Amino acid sequence: MFNFVGRNKRFAQVVMAIIIIPFAAWGVDSYFRDAGAGGDIAKIGDLRISPQDFSNRMTDRQNMARQQMGERYDPAMFNTPEARYEVLNQMITENLLLKKANDDYFRVSDQKVFDEINKIPAFQQDGKFSPDLYKQLLLQQAKPMTPAQFEHLVRSEFLTAPLTEAVQAGELSAVSTAERYYLLAGEKREVAMASLETADFVKQVKISDEEIEDYYTKNPQSFQSPETVSIEYVKINKAALLEKVAATDAQIHDFYESNKKRYEQPEKRNAAHILIAVAKDATGAQKEEARKKAEDVFNKAKATPDKFAALAKEFSQDPGSAAQGGELGVVAVGSFVKPFEKAIFDAKENGIVGPVETEFGYHIIKVTIHPGRQPAFDEVKAKVASDFKQNEVGKAYAEKAGRFASMVHENTDSFDEISKKLEAPISKAEFLTRAQVAQLANGNQQLAEAVFSPDSLRDRQNTDAIEIGSDAIISARVIDHKATTVRPLEDVKPAIKKLMEARKAFELTRAAGEEKLAQLRQGKSVAGLTFGKPVTIGRQQQQLGFTADVQAEAFRLEAGKLPAYLGAAVGQSRYTIYRVEKILLATAPEAAQKEATAQRLRDMKGREAMNAYLQNLRDNTKVEINQSKLDSAR
């Protein structure tokens, strides 16, 4: 919703480039110095990352992943050292750039920040910035923000963008280099494959009881049953409260009268255009010729406005809209360059305006105005009723959640009184792992950590009331606990035997494959080995059935040394022998392909330059991480 860089493509690319640079760019280990006994997770020069800052960012990432993945979302994916390092690395990168911007006295005026925020369509009402809507939408986010916090975010983006944009945009790539790269990247190989399957060697394997017992004794961690709890819990949520809210027609009508502005339908303007394009390097004479042509088309459109679409298809040089009769749809403030946009919104009535000059050329614009209106109550009654109920539920939830948070402390060893007074059911769940407890809280790890804490397991008392987003709050109490235990040998013996058979069979498979490969390389014939039909593989895309090493080696072979044989274990189920039979050269690129390749090389070099630039900042900045604080941050 708040994509304030959405209209500036280059700026958006720079911001995204910053946040996806991997932690491996300079290595995890280099960060871990003694950050002292302070309360911060990390220090970047004079800048600091607090546990709350880190927790907020982790929550943001979890919410984003939950929205993108839906039912496939697993909160446990964030409960790993790697995930925590990745999030912290992003924050450190941002702070390194922010420190550099501050050190170099970069400044962004308040007016620049306000101008940018004013352009965001989500904050506009009737085409104008609405302070009330601005504050309201900020507070409705999963992590509510104040205007000051959002303005700080915007300012930070503008402060650091010039640093990254200058580095990435400055990389060049010669056309000759692009052509060589294109030819190399386009090379292919024809390869036939023959495989020895591990399953064919299993019958040769014998596993004794002594071997099984020895493996069990040496690998107890592999046979542990997970720690589980059985719990009872109470959840207060808006969805349940909504079912209990009733609304009379009088209440709904009063709500409509008090909030009429909310239901106004603002004016909309549709636009279609005909573009007479002017090249950036056009001469004065060429510009004048284009202007005269635009005037001529404008006069035709003015005389026959009903034929505007046909004129657009005939004359417009905008490849994106000409075939659609020049249609651009509803125009939002900030969607187009200013002269074009101004002409549309300055129009007093439906009609043809122009020619309007922009950096792209001359535009003849057809403007259609749909006036704003205030719909009658009956037209929007269903929407008003829904809004009224949501409003009532919001007030009821705030009151009930507040009482719930207090009552779980007043009634520490039971939910009975809480359930009775708040009309909230007590639910039970048995033998839950940490991940399953977190799922009860929509992926919030706080509930799992509270339930599995030593105090909770020992005292069996209610946990604190834990907020689950903005729509629910939950508390749980342990009623049974099963610690991690090692499963008996008899229970896992069949699984161990199967595992050991597979491993030994794979060792036999590999040995047989390597022996056959050696014979083929010596020019000997090999019995029992059948090669399939050759497949064509490319240099840059991983081919199914090929290891990365084999694929790379296949492209190092020379035409005069074919056929050549390569071999590799593929997973734990087979050993494959590859016969490289032919080299297929790429055809010379066309001009468009050459330019696209050059742009790709520029992007690659830009990323490399960005990594080098950040490494340089890192080398010249004292970065400290408090490992214990990172481990305990939530």
Side-chain angles (χ1 to χ4, degrees):
M1 180 182 292
F2 303 139
N3 184 15
F4 53 85
V5 298
R7 286 172 290 102
N8 186 328
K9 186 177 180 182
R10 179 62 188 163
F11 186 41
Q13 289 173 337
V14 170
V15 173
M16 290 305 296
I18 296 170
I19 66 175
I20 64 173
I21 292 172
F23 208 90
W26 44 65
V28 172
D29 293 340
S30 65
Y31 275 114
F32 286 92
R33 303 173 180 171
D34 180 13
D40 298 306
I41 286 183
K43 298 177 185 177
I44 303 91
D46 296 331
L47 301 179
R48 299 169 183 270
I49 298 175
S50 70
Q52 187 60 50
D53 294 334
F54 180 79
S55 177
N56 290 341
R57 182 62 63 88
M58 284 291 286
T59 300
D60 289 343
R61 291 288 295 273
Q62 289 170 331
N63 288 338
M64 184 183 300
R66 187 180 296 112
Q67 291 171 3
Q68 292 174 342
M69 301 176 67
E71 294 180 355
R72 294 181 294 111
Y73 172 73
D74 181 0
M77 64 192 293
F78 286 95
N79 194 27
T80 66
E82 292 79 11
R84 300 167 77 81
Y85 293 156
E86 180 187 353
V87 172
L88 184 60
N89 172 63
Q90 176 183 329
M91 299 179 74
I92 289 172
T93 298
E94 293 167 1
N95 278 277
L96 283 168
L97 290 167
L98 192 58
K99 181 180 184 303
K100 176 63 175 174
N102 289 331
D103 290 347
D104 288 353
Y105 300 101
F106 285 17
R107 294 293 180 266
V108 177
S109 68
D110 291 343
Q111 191 61 50
K112 173 70 172 176
V113 173
F114 296 148
D115 286 348
E116 196 64 28
I117 292 174
N118 287 348
K119 295 175 187 175
I120 299 175
F123 298 145
Q124 294 175 355
Q125 201 164 42
D126 301 331
K128 296 181 180 179
F129 177 75
S130 169
D132 292 338
L133 182 60
Y134 174 50
K135 295 175 185 176
Q136 178 185 346
L137 290 179
L138 289 177
L139 291 173
Q140 287 177 357
Q141 298 309 291
K143 185 186 73 177
M145 284 188 283
T146 66
Q149 289 171 323
F150 185 68
E151 287 151 19
H152 174 73
L153 176 63
V154 176
R155 189 186 305 276
S156 297
E157 298 288 4
F158 275 111
L159 274 174
T160 58
L163 296 171
T164 56
E165 189 170 23
V167 173
Q168 291 190 317
E171 290 300 319
L172 302 176
S173 181
V175 174
S176 59
T177 302
E179 183 171 3
R180 289 197 300 274
Y181 180 85
Y182 180 91
L183 292 172
L184 280 173
E187 276 190 13
K188 297 182 184 299
R189 300 288 190 270
E190 281 191 1
V191 185
M193 294 182 288
S195 293
L196 285 74
E197 302 294 333
T198 298
D200 296 335
F201 290 83
V202 171
K203 292 180 181 179
Q204 301 178 26
V205 176
K206 301 296 180 184
I207 305 296
S208 67
D209 288 344
E210 289 76 14
E211 288 178 296
I212 295 174
E213 186 173 350
D214 182 63
Y215 185 90
Y216 175 81
T217 303
K218 291 179 178 178
N219 298 276
Q221 71 282 354
S222 300
F223 310 108
Q224 289 182 337
S225 60
E227 181 183 22
T228 63
V229 291
S230 296
I231 62 172
E232 60 181 17
Y233 62 95
V234 171
K235 184 190 294 187
I236 307 292
N237 60 66
K238 287 184 180 179
L241 296 177
L242 185 62
E243 298 175 0
K244 301 178 181 180
V245 174
T248 66
D249 285 349
Q251 287 174 314
I252 297 171
H253 192 274
D254 287 346
F255 188 82
Y256 168 79
E257 291 295 333
S258 301
N259 297 273
K260 265 190 173 182
K261 196 169 184 62
R262 180 187 295 190
Y263 304 102
E264 284 183 0
Q265 295 176 357
E267 176 191 272
K268 294 181 180 179
R269 297 196 173 210
N270 279 72
H273 83 137
I274 299 169
L275 171 66
I276 306 302
V278 177
K280 289 185 179 180
D281 57 353
T283 64
Q286 289 171 326
K287 289 182 180 178
E288 180 60 19
E289 182 183 351
R291 188 191 65 77
K292 287 180 179 179
K293 183 177 179 180
E295 288 281 2
D296 181 54
V297 175
F298 170 75
N299 291 330
K300 290 179 180 179
K302 194 81 171 174
T304 56
D306 58 322
K307 295 183 178 180
F308 189 91
L311 290 170
K313 291 177 181 179
E314 181 179 356
F315 294 106
S316 182
Q317 294 169 305
D318 176 7
S321 68
Q324 287 74 46
E327 284 295 334
L328 298 173
V330 176
V331 177
V333 175
S335 301
F336 299 96
V337 292
K338 287 192 177 296
F340 187 91
E341 185 178 287
K342 185 176 187 301
I344 294 172
F345 285 99
D346 282 352
K348 303 302 182 186
E349 58 185 15
N350 295 337
I352 311 297
V353 298
V356 176
E357 184 179 2
T358 72
E359 61 192 271
F360 304 105
Y362 296 95
H363 307 259
I364 299 94
I365 310 170
K366 181 180 180 181
V367 181
T368 305
I369 303 173
H370 306 280
R373 59 184 290 268
Q374 177 70 56
F377 170 69
D378 288 340
E379 293 180 64
V380 292
K381 183 177 178 180
K383 176 71 166 72
V384 177
S386 175
D387 290 346
F388 172 77
K389 289 183 178 181
Q390 289 292 345
N391 190 63
E392 293 300 299
V393 164
K395 292 188 289 187
Y397 174 75
E399 185 273 333
K400 186 167 281 192
R403 290 178 61 195
F404 180 65
S406 299
M407 292 181 73
V408 295
H409 291 292
E410 296 166 359
N411 303 267
T412 58
D413 57 359
S414 172
F415 286 123
D416 292 344
E417 188 72 12
I418 297 171
S419 175
K420 180 179 178 182
K421 289 187 176 181
L422 297 183
E423 299 180 335
I426 301 173
S427 301
K428 292 186 178 181
E430 297 183 321
F431 310 119
L432 303 181
T433 63
R434 288 176 181 267
Q436 290 169 329
V437 172
Q439 287 174 0
L440 290 177
N442 297 341
N444 191 325
Q445 287 291 332
Q446 280 186 275
L447 182 64
E449 290 158 4
V451 164
F452 280 90
S453 71
D455 290 345
S456 181
L457 296 176
R458 181 186 65 245
D459 300 334
R460 308 289 172 93
Q461 295 189 339
N462 303 338
T463 67
D464 289 340
I466 296 170
E467 290 188 44
I468 310 171
S470 58
D471 296 333
I473 189 168
I474 190 171
S475 174
R477 187 175 73 84
V478 176
I479 55 179
D480 192 18
H481 171 238
K482 294 188 180 298
T484 297
T485 58
V486 177
R487 298 172 64 189
L489 173 59
E490 290 306 312
D491 289 355
V492 296
K493 189 173 182 178
I496 296 175
K497 182 178 181 181
K498 188 174 182 180
L499 173 66
M500 296 186 73
E501 283 177 344
R503 288 184 177 180
K504 285 197 174 184
F506 177 68
E507 291 171 5
L508 293 175
T509 306
R510 184 202 297 270
E514 290 175 348
E515 181 181 353
K516 292 179 184 296
L517 176 63
Q519 291 172 349
L520 287 168
R521 285 176 169 174
Q522 294 168 11
K524 299 177 180 179
S525 60
V526 177
L529 197 63
T530 304
F531 284 92
K533 184 178 178 180
V535 298
T536 301
I537 64 172
R539 185 187 292 272
Q540 294 183 307
Q541 185 174 1
Q542 185 66 39
Q543 181 76 24
L544 184 66
F546 286 72
T547 67
D549 288 344
V550 163
Q551 193 160 333
E553 182 63 27
F555 281 91
R556 285 194 284 267
L557 295 172
E558 299 175 11
K561 298 181 180 179
L562 299 184
Y565 295 93
L566 306 171
V570 181
Q572 297 288 313
S573 61
R574 66 173 58 90
Y575 186 92
T576 299
I577 295 175
Y578 307 85
R579 184 173 65 203
V580 183
E581 300 181 347
K582 188 183 295 185
I583 293 176
L584 305 175
L585 300 177
T587 57
E590 297 178 359
Q593 294 170 321
K594 199 179 297 185
E595 175 53 34
T597 303
Q599 181 58 53
R600 182 179 178 186
L601 286 175
R602 287 193 287 271
D603 291 343
M604 290 168 58
K605 291 180 179 179
R607 286 192 293 271
E608 291 172 1
M610 190 70 244
N611 282 343
Y613 179 67
L614 290 173
Q615 177 66 59
N616 181 263
L617 289 181
R618 169 69 184 88
D619 290 342
N620 291 281
T621 305
K622 186 176 182 181
V623 176
E624 301 172 289
I625 290 179
N626 189 320
Q627 178 68 58
S628 62
K629 287 292 181 182
L630 176 61
D631 291 340
S632 62
R634 300 292 177 245

